[in-house]
Amino acid sequence: GYQLVVKEHPALFPEKTIGFYKGLTRIRNVILVGPAENTHNIIKNSAGVVTLGGTSGWEAFLIGKPVFLLADAWYRNFPGVMRINTVFELVAALQNHKQTLLPDREAKIKIIYALYQSSFPANHYPIVDIISDWNIAQCTTAFRKLIAEEYSDE
């Protein structure tokens, strides 16, 4: 059997009531860990990751674990990442997780390289940094470059 390890996102803790967390601990095979628990170790020792789209899905992809994505995330089309829309899909995906086609090292390197090639320095958190003049200039410059490259042949 498997156990479900539940770890709240540190930025969202403690948004829910104590009753919510107590309810989780009463479910058989559910383990609730603190938001400061080492995510990398949890993922490394898991059979896969169910996520709403946080960095835990990206980390699981890199480590080579199946990702069951319950919402949209920027990595939703990566190999080994399954977008789940219903409880029935989640049950089926979890039951068949060993059949998930995971990317090999070379495929992951290609994806990381493509991300690196299209990245630029900018802030994405907190909001005060997102709307700073420097950040807006960084994003604008990067988008202009991308558009120029995309339409340079026209």
Side-chain angles (χ1 to χ4, degrees):
Y2 291 95
Q3 295 178 317
L4 178 65
V5 177
V6 177
K7 179 180 183 263
E8 184 72 87
H9 191 287
L12 299 177
F13 184 79
E15 225 173 70
K16 297 174 182 71
T17 66
I18 285 292
F20 172 81
Y21 296 110
K22 283 183 179 179
L24 286 176
T25 62
R26 286 193 282 269
I27 301 171
R28 191 170 59 93
N29 293 331
V30 171
I31 300 171
L32 180 63
V33 297
E37 193 77 29
N38 185 314
T39 305
H40 181 80
N41 288 339
I42 294 170
I43 295 170
K44 192 170 66 174
N45 294 305
S46 75
V49 170
V50 179
T51 181
L52 290 172
T55 54
S56 62
W58 167 239
E59 291 176 60
F61 165 80
L62 292 173
I63 293 170
K65 301 291 182 168
V67 179
F68 308 99
L69 189 57
L70 303 180
D72 281 332
W74 59 272
Y75 52 83
R76 68 186 169 275
N77 296 318
F78 288 4
V81 177
M82 287 159 278
R83 178 64 168 89
I84 306 295
N85 295 302
T86 68
V87 172
F88 302 109
E89 286 181 11
L90 179 60
V91 169
L94 292 174
Q95 288 174 340
N96 298 305
H97 76 277
K98 290 183 180 178
Q99 283 75 47
T100 303
L101 295 175
L102 298 171
D104 61 14
R105 184 176 187 275
E106 184 152 335
K108 289 189 276 189
I109 289 172
K110 285 180 181 179
I111 289 170
I112 292 167
Y113 183 73
L115 290 170
Y116 175 78
Q117 288 294 99
S118 63
S119 67
F120 56 91
N123 296 314
H124 65 280
Y125 187 82
I127 191 72
V128 68
D129 291 341
I130 293 171
I131 60 173
S132 72
D133 290 342
W134 176 86
N135 207 56
I136 292 169
Q138 290 294 103
C139 293
T140 303
T141 300
F143 293 140
R144 281 186 182 147
K145 181 182 173 192
L146 181 66
I147 291 168
E149 289 172 2
E150 188 68 28
Y151 295 102
S152 64
D153 295 338
E154 292 181 8

